Amino acid sequence: GQQLNQSPQSMFIQEGEDVSMNCTSSSIFNTWLWYKQDPGEGPVLLIALYKAGELTSNGRLTAQFGITRKDSFLNISASIPSDVGIYFCAGQGNAGNMLTFGGGTRLMVKP
Amino acid sequence: EPEVTQTPSHQVTQMGQEVILRCVPISNHLYFYWYRQILGQKVEFLVSFYNNEISEKSEIFDDQFSVERPDGSNFTLKIRSTKLEDSAMYFCASSRGELASTDTQYFGPGTRLTVL
């Protein structure tokens, strides 16, 4: 099946720093999504990307859908303590609606 | 803002027992999904459901699993005879059912299933 490689697996940064994480795949995806998961909670949608090359922002978050449709990145600017959590990329291919998730990036922010 | 809700939040069961996990999708959504997340691992797709039938399922979704929309609001996942390896967080999700390329899935808070 399709697989997403997400990196880095974890990051420990100082409050105020910018953060970047990315996902790559050997397969093409038609949609890229970025979710955040807090402990014991379900994934919450942050940004959805629907077109190759698309760059979308949501407050301090910016994400891009790679031109090749095989990768995406998420940037968080000026991190704050509440950014702590696990960030997952997810891709949706052309075979139905199922989402394939990356392994997650655990973000820790030091005040 | 409408949300996907799930009950119970925690379920502890003995191996071999049947469990039913319940979900109430967002009311005007037409596609429903179950995913699971084993502790510390990635979220994995189990099954999608549309128009009262399964539209896709993964290899995880074997004969021990079944889904049902028993009424106009609930969507359930049944595990017939639980195994230790079924212990995981189970997430329900729903989407409007638009074109697949723009159909965003919204997730519930999950049910933590522990099989002893």
Side-chain angles (χ1 to χ4, degrees), chain A residues 35-38 40-45 101, chain B residues 2-9 22-26 29 33-35 37 43 89-95 105-112:
Chain A
Y35 288 88
K36 183 186 179 209
Q37 186 179 31
D38 292 326
E41 306 277 332
V44 174
L45 182 67
F101 279 79
Chain B
E3 292 179 333
V4 176
T5 59
Q6 290 184 242
T7 54
S9 55
R22 291 183 166 79
C23 168
V24 178
I26 295 173
H29 284 187
Y33 312 82
W34 284 101
Y35 291 80
Q37 185 180 32
V43 178
M89 281 287 280
Y90 287 81
F91 294 108
C92 175
S94 70
S95 64
Q105 295 177 32
Y106 296 89
F107 284 75
T111 292
R112 179 172 297 284

Side-chain angles (χ1 to χ4, degrees), chain A residues 3-4 30-31 33 35 37 40-45 48-50 88 92-93 95-104, chain B residues 31 33 35 37 41-45 48 56 89 91 95 97-110 112:
Chain A
Q3 296 234 347
L4 290 183
N30 291 331
T31 302
L33 303 156
Y35 288 88
Q37 186 179 31
E41 306 277 332
V44 174
L45 182 67
L49 302 158
Y50 301 115
F88 288 99
Q92 191 172 53
N97 286 14
M98 64 169 281
L99 293 179
T100 300
F101 279 79
Chain B
Y31 259 102
Y33 312 82
Y35 291 80
Q37 185 180 32
Q41 298 187 22
K42 67 173 73 173
V43 178
E44 301 173 290
F45 170 78
S48 63
E56 294 174 89
M89 281 287 280
F91 294 108
S95 64
E98 298 164 339
L99 285 174
S101 58
T102 57
D103 198 31
T104 303
Q105 295 177 32
Y106 296 89
F107 284 75
R112 179 172 297 284

Side-chain angles (χ1 to χ4, degrees), chain A residues 7-106:
Chain A
S7 64
Q9 285 187 328
S10 62
M11 303 181 74
F12 188 47
I13 61 168
Q14 195 76 34
E15 182 178 0
E17 289 183 355
D18 297 344
V19 169
S20 185
M21 58 193 81
N22 70 83
C23 272
T24 60
S25 171
S26 56
S27 311
I28 286 173
F29 285 99
N30 291 331
T31 302
W32 283 91
L33 303 156
W34 285 92
Y35 288 88
K36 183 186 179 209
Q37 186 179 31
D38 292 326
E41 306 277 332
V44 174
L45 182 67
L46 298 174
I47 291 182
L49 302 158
Y50 301 115
K51 284 168 49 176
E54 180 181 355
L55 183 72
T56 296
S57 292
N58 177 8
R60 292 179 296 107
L61 277 58
T62 302
Q64 183 154 34
F65 190 151
I67 288 287
T68 64
R69 295 199 286 156
K70 293 182 179 180
D71 63 299
S72 176
F73 72 74
L74 173 72
N75 287 343
I76 306 173
S77 63
S79 57
I80 58 178
S82 61
D83 290 333
V84 164
I86 302 178
Y87 292 79
F88 288 99
C89 63
Q92 191 172 53
N94 56 9
N97 286 14
M98 64 169 281
L99 293 179
T100 300
F101 279 79
T105 295
R106 181 181 296 275

